[in-house]
Amino acid sequence: MSQMSIGKVVSRSFLSRPATRLYPFEKRPFYKATRGAVAIDIEKCILCGICQKRCPTAAITVTKATKDWQINRLRCISCGACVDACPKKCLWLENMYSPAVVQKGADDKFHQLDKPGLETTKA
Ligand code: SF4
Ligand code: SF4
C-alpha cells in the first residue's frame, strides 16, 4: 500500500464516526420488521394448544386445566409459527427483544382469570 493510500485511510478514519456504539448507553433502534419476543393477549386466548403443537422448539406450554399459557424465552427462536397458527390471532411478535433471562427454566407465565379481570405473572 502506497503512502498516499495509507494517508487516505487514516484521514477517512479520523473524519468519520466510529463504527461501534457505546452500548449500553447508545442502543441500536429496532426496525419495524424486527422479529422479537412473542406476546399474547391472554384474554382472547381459548387455550386450544395449537401454538404449543406448532412450535418447533417446544417453547410454549398450554395448560387448559389451570388456564395457564407459558413460554420459555431461551427456547424461542422467533420463527413466528405460533403466531401464524393461532386461530384467535392473540399472538404476535413484538419488534423488540425480551429482557435477558438469568435463570434457566424461568418461563414467562400468563394466567387467564375467570371474568371480569385477568392477571399476568412471572413464574
Ligand atoms: S393457538 Fe392461540 S388461542 Fe390457541 S392456545 Fe395458543 S395462543 Fe391460545
Ligand atoms: S416464535 Fe417459533 S419458536 Fe418462538 S414460541 Fe412461537 S413457534 Fe415457538
Side-chain angles (χ1 to χ4, degrees), residues 43-118:
E43 198 175 13
K44 284 189 188 168
C45 176
I46 55 172
L47 300 159
C48 63
I50 291 174
C51 53
Q52 179 180 335
K53 286 185 191 123
R54 292 289 173 85
C55 178
T57 60
I60 296 174
T61 307
V62 181
T63 314
K64 196 161 190 168
T66 54
K67 296 186 173 181
D68 287 328
W69 186 98
Q70 60 192 77
I71 182 166
N72 185 319
R73 302 283 181 195
L74 290 176
R75 286 189 172 191
C76 178
I77 54 171
S78 299
C79 66
C82 56
V83 175
D84 294 341
C86 178
K88 299 303 285 181
K89 301 291 172 217
C90 59
L91 293 176
W92 68 95
L93 286 169
E94 299 272 19
N95 79 329
M96 57 186 292
Y97 304 117
S98 55
V101 176
V102 292
Q103 195 183 345
K104 207 173 178 183
D107 295 1
D108 276 356
K109 188 173 176 182
F110 298 82
H111 177 64
Q112 192 180 62
L113 291 180
D114 293 330
K115 300 293 177 189
L118 59 95

